[in-house]
Structures are given as structure tokens and as C-alpha cells.
Amino acid sequence: MRHPFRWLLILVLLTPLLAACGAGGGDGGFLGGNTVEVSIAYGSEKRAWLEEAVRQFNAAGQKTASGASIQVVATPMGSTDSMNQILSGAIQPTVWSPASRILLPVANDEWGKRNNGATLVDENAPLLVLSPVVIAMWKPMAEALGWPNKPLGWSNIAELSASGKTWADFGRPEWGPLQFGHTHPDYSNSGVATIIAISYAAAEKNRGLTVADVQNPKTAEFMRNIESGVIHYGESTGFFADQMFNRGPGYLSAAVLYENLVIEAYNRDRYPYVSLPVVAIYPKEGTFWTDHPYAILNAPWVTDEQREAANIFLRYLLDRPQQELALRYGYRPSNTDVAVGVPITPENGVDPQQPQTLLEVPRPDVLSAIRSIWEQNKKRVDVMAVLDVSGSMEDEGRLEQAKAALRIFVEQLQDDDGFGLTIFSDQATVLTPISPIGSRRTEVLNRIAGLTPRGGTRLLDTVVEAYQELTVTPPGQRIRAVVVLTDGLDNRSQRSARDVLDLLRQDREGYSIKVFTIAFGGDADVHLLNEIASATGAKSYVGKPGERGAIERIYQDIATFF
């Protein structure tokens, strides 16, 4: 996507989520009745543990020294997304707890530029829990590559991706091609950790990485080789885990996850149909801890009373009962009085003795260089946007809202990303076929601006036609996606819903064409649209017309896959 480096130069397109994170602390954080609120924006990876801890803490009725009752409000968010929103002022939490301390110096660097060198967070903030970044791989696949006798890492992924080899070269043709996944570094901590680790591996270092190392042509080649094996990106590490464990080895061979998510693969209540065991590969070149710092913000909206209350909650989280609870969720406790034990065991695919090599967090200028090299060498996309222009799209200004959001989406595409636009009402019309957007961007934006609503809703046939157009691009060369927005029930197609779903379910590989669906008010069949997206390994969304920024957020989330 063609956008600024979101860690350092923030472009906020989202509606401010002030209430969600206790923003606007002009009242000193008091809720009334002598109650002080501690709002926390935290990395969603630890949601299950933190939700339970918050519930127990709030029920206990803890108080400050002055007798004010403490109420904790914790909101899960992507780590880089929450940083961006804090820096822009869209949210004003008391505490920021991203998945990794990697982001702390980045946040301080940008905050200092905007606030006369001021520091936003303590870069040595206390750590809540630990979980290493790993390459999760199906155990038989890892064994085919020589694991556990042979250490594996980024160089193996790069070599396999660049070689054109499939699992047939290892005697297992039923597994198909090597299919790899990691999240988008502009939105997810694991994506940031991935591209830093790849850069270190290319430079054959584990600390002291420089801008010159990153800009060395061999780093770009190494990055390009790994990214060529990526099926798509995404905002959520948990989404990759769900797709991998629910869809099996035909969808993903390996993905960058956290150790605790590998442990979750053995939870049959959550993943009842996992066909093969999963193991954590601790890259031989080194990796990072996701160490979940607890950073109380040095920001003007945080009062002394909130700071005191936030420290009380911190002590609560680091106490033995809460650390033992974190261990049960697969995290390594940061409290050294709590020993690492079950479920962090080889029986759950992980090694409590790993990782052996840890990487140093680079300086912000090096991080910026890494982001640029990744942008230049990431997997490109061919995407067909399919937009409902039926008469009902005039209601509530739906079409105008959709057009505005789609224009933002198009503006963010890289020049060599492929984009096409199909509209449908009584019939489907391909306004522009899929081709590189660079030289056509202004023309496409103008065509979007001129769309008007009319006619019926020929949804299903149009989805199939857009899907079939993308089959021209061979699997694996580019990310292939259809993005469909509609507000109504199909009343013009020849195909049935069953026909369409049967077609989409034929290809369950990770390189298959993804169909993202958006139900945008009206009579849209949310269940059917969800089935269409799920059949292809994509996501389905529901947008509310008139809700400020809602449809922009949806297109923005879809953009994280590219």
C-alpha cells in the first residue's frame, strides 16, 4: 500500500475512539462518586488474560490513597495502530501496553518531534508477560526440513521461497507449495518483528544493525525472497493462527506467530479439527520477545491520581496469582518467582529452553530504513473492487460514503499494484480491468466520483465473474483479492448461493483468491456474505451507514492484507 511510514509519520483516517480508551482526561479521570478511571490501550494478543485480570481487579474494589475507587477500562488494539492513535491524539489512554518494547523508542522519537523533545514513555517500562516470536510450522513439514536435528530459520524460508520448490521435492506432494504468512508491519507487532529479524538475518548479525546494512542490496534480495512466499498480510496475528489451525496445511505451511498461540493449537475446545501437530521454530538467526511493557504515559491528560491508580493495577498484574493465570494462557511470567511450567512444554510444540539468540532493537532511523526496504520488496496485489450501485444505495447516502472510502483505498495502492473496478445493479459493468494503478490512478478516482445509484442487485453472478477474472494471474505470484460491498439481497443473478459457495470452496490453498465482503446496511444478507468470505479464507465486515468513519475503517482493515 502506498502510505507513509505509520510508525514515524502518522496519517489518521479513522474516527477518534475517544470513549473507548478513556480519552479527553479533562475531568482528571474521575467517573463520579470519587472513582478514578485507568484506561489502557493494549496489544490484543493478551486479551483473554487481561480481560479476566481486569474483571477480578474491578470486582475487588481497590482504592487510591485518597480513597478513590479504581476502575480499569482496557481496550484491545493492534500495537502499532494504538501507537498511531495516541500520537495523533485520537485516543488518550492512561497506559499503553503494546505487544513489544520495540515500539517504545519509535513512539518517543515521534512524540519528541511533535512536543519539543518530550518523552512519552519510559523505554524501560515494566514488563507484564513474555512470549517469543516464532515461526509456527506443522511438525511433519518441519521434520521434512530436518528439524529438530537441524536448526531452522529465516535463511531456510528465503531459500525455499526463492527456489520454486514445493513439498513434492521433499516427498510430500499432497502438501502443495510452500505457503508462508506474516502480519502487516504497519499494524501489527509481529509484522514489525518479522521484517527486523529478516534484516538481521540478511546482514548475518544479531545486534548493531545499521542503515548501511539494511540498504545493502543483499538485504533487499533476502527480503524479496521471503516475501515471495507470503500468501497475504493482515492486521492480526490471531487471525493467521485461526486460519492456519482451522484450515490446515493446505492453507498455510508456516506463519509468524507467538509461542502462546502455538500452545493454543493444542486446545481442542478452541481448535477441534487440527489435523497435524504444530511446533514452534525459534529462528536460528535470532528472534524477539513479545514482552508486553506497561507504559504509563507522560502525557498532559494523565493526572497524578490516574498515575497512582495505574501503578496499583500494575502491582496487581505482577502479583503471583495474576502471573500464574498468565502462565495458564501460555505466557511466560515476568515475575521470576513464578517458574515456567505447564503448558510451556514440548508436548505442546514449544521449548522452554528457547530462544537461545535474542536480537537487539534497532534505532528508529534503522527501523525506518527496514520499513522502506520491505515496502519495496513486499508481495504485490491484484485486487478487483466490486461495488453495488443499485437504487437502494441512494438511501442514507450509502453510495457517497462507499465512494469516499474506496477513493482512499485506491490512493494508498502502490503504483505497480493491480486494481480493477466492477459495478453492478441490474447488470455488471467492468469499468476498468485489473492492471497497474500508477498511470491510471486519477482516471479511476474520477470514475468512482461519477458513480450514481440505479437498478437492482446482481450480486452473486458479479462475484463469480470478478473471481474468475483473477484466475488469469497464476497462484503465488501476487496476492489476489476481490473486495465486494453491497447493501441488498440478490434479485438479478442466475446462480444460486449454493452454486457460488461450492465454486469458492474448491480452492482452499493460501494462495487462493480471497473474497472480502462488506454488508453496508439495507437488506444485505450478512450470513451469506460471511459464508462467501469464509469460504476463501478472507474476512467479512458489517458497516453502518451514517456512522462516521465506519466504512473507511473497513476498507483500511482490508488494506492490511495487502
Side-chain angles (χ1 to χ4, degrees):
M1 302 299 288
R2 190 185 67 163
H3 42 57
F5 185 25
R6 295 179 188 271
W7 310 337
L8 302 177
L9 183 61
I10 311 302
L11 175 63
V12 177
L13 301 174
L14 307 182
T15 300
L17 303 178
L18 302 179
C21 280
D27 61 355
F30 283 93
L31 300 176
N34 202 25
T35 298
V36 62
E37 178 184 288
V38 174
S39 58
I40 305 175
Y42 70 91
S44 56
E45 300 84 358
K46 55 183 176 286
R47 180 173 186 164
W49 169 63
L50 201 54
E51 282 187 345
E52 186 167 348
V54 167
R55 184 168 57 252
Q56 293 176 0
F57 178 87
N58 286 340
Q62 302 241 20
K63 298 181 183 295
T64 65
S66 65
S69 297
I70 303 170
Q71 186 73 19
V72 175
V73 178
T75 303
M77 304 179 71
S79 293
T80 50
D81 183 28
S82 58
M83 179 186 71
N84 293 344
Q85 294 201 49
I86 291 168
L87 291 171
S88 71
I91 60 173
Q92 295 182 340
T94 311
V95 178
W96 179 43
S97 181
S100 171
R101 71 169 77 198
I102 290 173
L103 294 178
L104 299 186
V106 178
N108 274 340
D109 184 72
E110 180 61 21
W111 182 264
K113 291 175 183 177
R114 301 175 181 209
N115 295 278
N116 299 316
T119 298
L120 178 65
V121 293
D122 178 1
E123 293 180 16
N124 295 310
L127 307 178
L128 297 179
V129 290
L130 304 169
S131 190
V133 178
V134 302
I135 301 172
M137 185 176 290
W138 301 101
K139 185 177 181 181
M141 292 182 176
E143 290 171 338
L145 299 179
W147 180 91
N149 299 320
K150 174 185 174 182
L152 302 178
W154 298 110
S155 59
N156 302 96
I157 300 292
E159 180 184 354
L160 284 170
S161 297
S163 69
K165 289 182 179 179
T166 70
W167 289 111
D169 294 291
F170 297 89
R172 301 301 297 264
E174 69 273 20
W175 292 340
L178 173 71
Q179 301 182 124
F180 180 62
H182 71 76
T183 54
H184 200 298
D186 285 348
Y187 302 89
S188 167
N189 170 74
S190 69
V192 176
T194 297
I195 64 173
I196 298 173
I198 290 170
S199 300
Y200 266 118
E204 299 181 0
K205 290 183 171 183
N206 53 43
R207 54 198 358 89
L209 194 67
T210 66
V211 171
D213 292 329
V214 175
Q215 294 177 343
N216 188 314
K218 77 171 188 178
T219 301
E221 181 182 7
F222 194 87
M223 183 79 72
R224 184 164 54 252
N225 288 341
I226 289 180
E227 298 300 314
S228 69
V230 166
I231 60 167
H232 59 69
Y233 302 101
E235 182 182 24
S236 166
T237 310
F239 179 80
F240 267 112
D242 287 342
Q243 293 299 304
M244 181 173 179
F245 303 151
N246 286 324
R247 291 178 172 271
Y251 186 85
L252 261 176
S253 309
V256 180
L257 303 179
Y258 303 123
E259 181 186 66
N260 63 291
L261 294 176
V262 173
I263 293 170
E264 282 193 10
Y266 291 81
N267 182 343
R268 290 298 166 264
D269 290 332
R270 177 158 187 170
Y271 300 113
Y273 305 115
V274 174
S275 57
L276 296 173
V278 182
V279 294
I281 304 298
Y282 303 84
K284 60 186 178 183
E285 301 92 346
T287 190
F288 292 98
W289 288 109
T290 50
D291 44 21
H292 300 276
Y294 184 93
I296 302 173
L297 299 188
N298 298 315
W301 60 78
V302 178
T303 67
D304 290 341
E305 186 91 11
Q306 287 175 304
R307 189 175 303 278
E308 178 193 355
N311 277 308
I312 292 171
F313 183 58
L314 170 63
R315 290 193 293 272
Y316 176 84
L317 292 177
L318 295 180
D319 279 349
R320 175 179 287 274
Q322 284 63 247
Q323 291 287 291
E324 290 176 342
L325 176 64
L327 179 60
R328 292 200 292 274
Y329 280 109
Y331 290 101
R332 303 189 190 200
S334 64
N335 183 339
T336 55
D337 291 337
V338 180
V340 173
V342 177
I344 303 174
T345 63
E347 290 75 18
N348 288 320
V350 300
D351 184 350
Q353 303 305 314
Q354 292 282 359
Q356 295 294 317
T357 303
L358 292 173
L359 302 174
E360 180 183 61
V361 177
R363 301 187 312 272
D365 61 328
V366 179
L367 288 172
S368 182
I370 291 171
R371 172 58 176 75
S372 296
I373 291 297
W374 175 78
E375 182 68 52
Q376 295 164 23
N377 295 281
K378 66 186 284 289
K379 196 80 165 276
R380 294 308 190 219
V381 65
D382 280 342
V383 57
M384 175 62 82
V386 176
L387 184 62
D388 185 346
V389 295
S390 62
S392 60
M393 285 290 287
E394 187 172 13
D395 298 344
E396 304 175 273
R398 294 171 199 159
L399 183 57
E400 292 305 312
Q401 294 172 61
K403 285 160 55 176
L406 185 56
R407 285 171 59 88
I408 293 171
F409 181 85
V410 170
E411 287 168 348
Q412 293 178 344
L413 292 171
Q414 293 289 320
D415 285 349
D416 51 353
D417 285 331
F419 179 81
L421 175 61
T422 297
I423 60 172
F424 69 93
S425 54
D426 291 330
Q427 298 295 326
T429 303
V430 179
L431 289 185
T432 174
I434 295 173
S435 61
I437 188 65
S439 62
R440 304 182 301 114
R441 197 183 307 270
T442 300
E443 174 197 349
V444 169
L445 292 174
N446 288 337
R447 301 203 74 165
I448 293 171
L451 296 176
T452 56
R454 63 191 179 280
T457 306
R458 183 183 181 270
L459 171 65
L460 293 172
D461 286 352
T462 307
V463 169
V464 170
E465 289 160 5
Y467 181 90
Q468 290 174 335
E469 180 169 342
L470 277 161
T471 61
V472 175
T473 304
Q477 290 186 2
R478 297 167 78 89
I479 300 168
R480 301 175 298 168
V482 178
V483 180
V484 184
L485 181 147
T486 184
D487 74 334
L489 295 171
D490 192 309
N491 55 19
R492 292 292 188 274
S493 292
Q494 299 299 310
R495 295 174 178 86
S496 68
R498 180 180 294 276
D499 292 338
V500 175
L501 292 171
D502 286 346
L503 170 67
L504 298 179
R505 287 169 178 157
Q506 288 177 6
D507 187 357
R508 294 180 59 82
E509 287 189 353
Y511 288 135
S512 63
I513 299 163
K514 306 295 181 286
V515 182
F516 297 88
T517 60
I518 306 169
F520 197 40
D523 297 322
D525 188 335
V526 174
H527 177 71
L528 173 60
L529 293 172
N530 183 61
E531 283 193 297
I532 288 172
S534 297
T536 66
K539 289 180 71 174
S540 181
Y541 302 84
V542 177
K544 295 180 179 179
E547 180 180 322
R548 185 179 174 189
I551 194 64
E552 287 90 344
R553 287 195 295 272
I554 289 172
Y555 274 107
Q556 189 72 16
D557 189 81
I558 293 171
T560 69
F561 287 82
F562 315 142

